[in-house]
Amino acid sequence: MSYRSFLVVCLLCLPVAAAPKPAKRAKNVIVFLADAGGTSTLNAASWHGYGEPQKLYVQSWPYMALSDTSPAGSLVTDSAAGMTAIVTGVKTQNGVLSQGPDTVRGKQNGTPLKTILEYAEERGLSTGVLSNVSIADATPAACYAHSNDRGTAGEIFMQIFNPRFGDGVDVVMGVGRKSISAGVAKLGKDLNEVSSEKKRPIYESLNEVPADNLRPIVVQDSPINLPEAARKALSVLSKNRKGYFLMIEWDAHTDDPRKGLDNVVGFDKLIREIASTVDLKDTLLLFTADHSFALRTVGGKRGEPLLKGLDEWKKEHTSREEVAIPALRVGHSHTGEEVLATAQGPGADQVKGFIPNTQLFRIMMNAYGWKEDSQQPTN
Ligand SMILES: [Zn+2]
């Protein structure tokens, strides 16, 4: 081939070769949020659950990043600012739910920040928040509410019924009925009144939810069976042909190391189950934590239980002391180092390197193929 005809062939090929591949978009996004589940906790949970390192299902995912969790103004975040960053793309002050860094906690509202759940509502997708702790607690609340103070359970819960976009969060399942009732009572209402006024029953248990209710709210007093809640939620959310956004929180604080590590192992099993039931061609799964926690592995022997000595230690110490057993030291504070973010599904390949937690919001928006509103302050 002459040089000239070679050039012609190359030019003819170029447009084809350079044409961008059609972007793979996510129809659905599920965020799995291990509250306080830092990398040291994940490492310990694998030893605790499986007697080996790196046996958790989420530790097998192909894409991962280390996510900085620091909030505006400090080094160590609480769940409110941590989750706000993940669902709005903006770092705010500790204690603040989806309002900007101009908020004064407990005193003055700041700029409301549009959450990924609200973007989904605005576009007609179905949305849900599930938690094994209070559904008005900071992590789920940051998805559907805006408040200058995470401690106002009544006001936060009532925002479910006064959405800024779409018809508001569709599926709500968690606990905290007592504190939410008390919070709502402070506003001069009771939950039954709210229920009939808003024409949305607030069920006391998962069993009460009829199969034909596509927007169930469950607020239990007793602990919730989160896997059961997730199955119910996914069965209704997946009916929407436009897709859905779902956030599932499972507490991973290890003040009580057995409870915390059991929670992580249970959560990981649930994630494995969900990953096997959804279509990973159109569903982005994102696992991360809002912040890390003061758990360190300082010893231990292969073949021995990680929590060896814990029961004896508990008999002689109060729960406020730092836990000190052969394998672990566990304090009671959040810590500031990066947490794992890992993902699979469309857009998961963007989860890489050292990133701010706010980047997770942009990764989800890009996966859906949505543009951020220009008025959303970024940082
Ligand atoms: Zn937290």
Side-chain angles (χ1 to χ4, degrees):
M1 192 190 293
S2 73
Y3 180 66
R4 215 189 152 92
S5 51
F6 174 71
L7 253 188
V8 170
V9 169
C10 280
L11 284 173
L12 281 173
C13 291
L14 254 185
V16 179
K21 274 203 261 166
K24 276 197 210 149
R25 292 275 158 84
K27 181 177 150 196
N28 316 305
V29 173
I30 307 177
V31 176
F32 299 100
L33 198 291
D35 199 311
T39 49
S40 57
T41 297
L42 298 180
N43 171 276
S46 180
W47 282 109
H48 171 64
Y50 301 99
E52 303 239 19
Q54 302 189 340
K55 290 294 177 202
L56 296 179
Y57 174 60
V58 294
Q59 289 174 321
S60 72
W61 287 12
Y63 301 105
M64 53 178 283
L66 287 175
S67 169
D68 164 55
T69 63
S70 61
S74 352
L75 275 63
V76 179
T77 194
D78 78 329
S79 299
M83 194 58 177
T84 295
I86 294 168
V87 297
T88 71
V90 180
K91 286 180 185 277
T92 191
Q93 313 294 343
N94 277 339
V96 172
L97 296 170
S98 293
Q99 292 186 352
D102 54 338
T103 313
V104 184
R105 180 179 185 172
K107 294 201 174 111
Q108 191 187 302
N109 284 329
T111 315
L113 304 171
K114 192 166 168 182
T115 74
I116 185 89
L117 185 148
E118 290 176 324
Y119 277 97
E121 275 295 327
E122 184 181 46
R123 284 159 178 74
L125 279 73
S126 289
T127 60
V129 291
L130 313 182
S131 178
N132 81 314
V133 298
S134 170
I135 206 64
D137 209 352
T139 302
C143 298
Y144 66 80
H146 305 266
S147 174
N148 65 36
D149 187 357
R150 61 178 283 175
T152 54
E155 282 92 341
I156 288 166
F157 183 75
M158 288 304 291
Q159 288 187 42
I160 290 173
F161 308 99
N162 301 297
R164 296 162 74 233
F165 298 93
D167 57 1
V169 57
D170 299 301
V171 179
V172 179
M173 295 173 173
V175 301
R177 197 166 184 99
K178 249 190 212 123
S179 57
I180 291 169
S181 296
V184 171
K186 269 196 218 155
L187 306 173
K189 291 187 180 290
D190 73 53
L191 278 188
N192 295 331
E193 251 179 278
V194 175
S195 211
S196 53
E197 225 173 73
K198 308 293 179 183
K199 300 194 170 51
R200 287 186 76 178
I202 303 168
Y203 302 109
E204 288 183 43
S205 86
L206 283 174
N207 305 334
E208 289 175 21
V209 180
D212 62 349
N213 188 334
L214 300 181
R215 309 188 68 225
I217 300 177
V218 178
V219 186
Q220 296 194 174
D221 238 348
S222 51
I224 194 164
N225 181 335
L226 210 51
E228 190 54 39
R231 285 175 211 126
K232 275 187 198 282
L234 283 166
S235 79
V236 293
L237 293 173
S238 59
K239 287 195 166 78
N240 188 331
R241 282 159 62 191
K242 288 185 176 169
Y244 60 83
F245 170 81
L246 174 63
M247 191 291 296
I248 307 178
E249 175 196 31
W250 202 326
D251 183 40
H253 283 81
T254 46
D255 298 85
D256 177 341
R258 190 177 307 279
K259 184 175 159 202
L261 296 178
D262 281 347
N263 278 351
V264 175
V265 173
F267 196 14
D268 186 66
K269 285 182 178 155
L270 172 61
I271 296 169
R272 185 192 292 271
E273 177 191 319
I274 291 175
S276 72
T277 58
V278 299
D279 185 354
L280 289 171
K281 283 201 277 305
D282 67 9
T283 305
L284 170 65
L285 305 183
L286 175 65
F287 171 89
T288 195
D290 50 350
H291 50 78
S292 192
F293 198 74
L295 177 149
R296 287 157 293 140
T297 302
V298 295
K301 281 207 171 80
R302 280 182 188 264
E304 286 185 355
L306 182 80
L307 300 180
K308 190 179 164 192
L310 181 63
D311 295 333
E312 293 79 0
W313 185 88
K314 275 185 179 172
K315 279 180 205 147
E316 288 165 21
H317 299 85
T318 68
S319 59
R320 264 183 275 157
E321 291 173 60
E322 180 185 78
V323 176
I325 56 176
L328 298 181
R329 298 288 180 277
V330 189
H332 297 287
S333 61
H334 295 180
T335 54
E337 78 280 6
E338 284 87 351
V339 297
L340 174 72
T342 183
Q344 55 176 327
D349 58 345
Q350 297 308 302
V351 179
K352 59 187 175 185
F354 283 78
I355 58 173
N357 51 2
T358 50
Q359 184 65 19
L360 297 172
F361 166 76
R362 307 214 153 84
I363 287 169
M364 292 188 276
M365 290 289 284
N366 288 338
Y368 276 125
W370 298 342
K371 261 207 146 113
E372 219 173 309
D373 290 358
S374 54
Q375 68 266 26
Q376 186 99 335
T378 55
N379 66 358

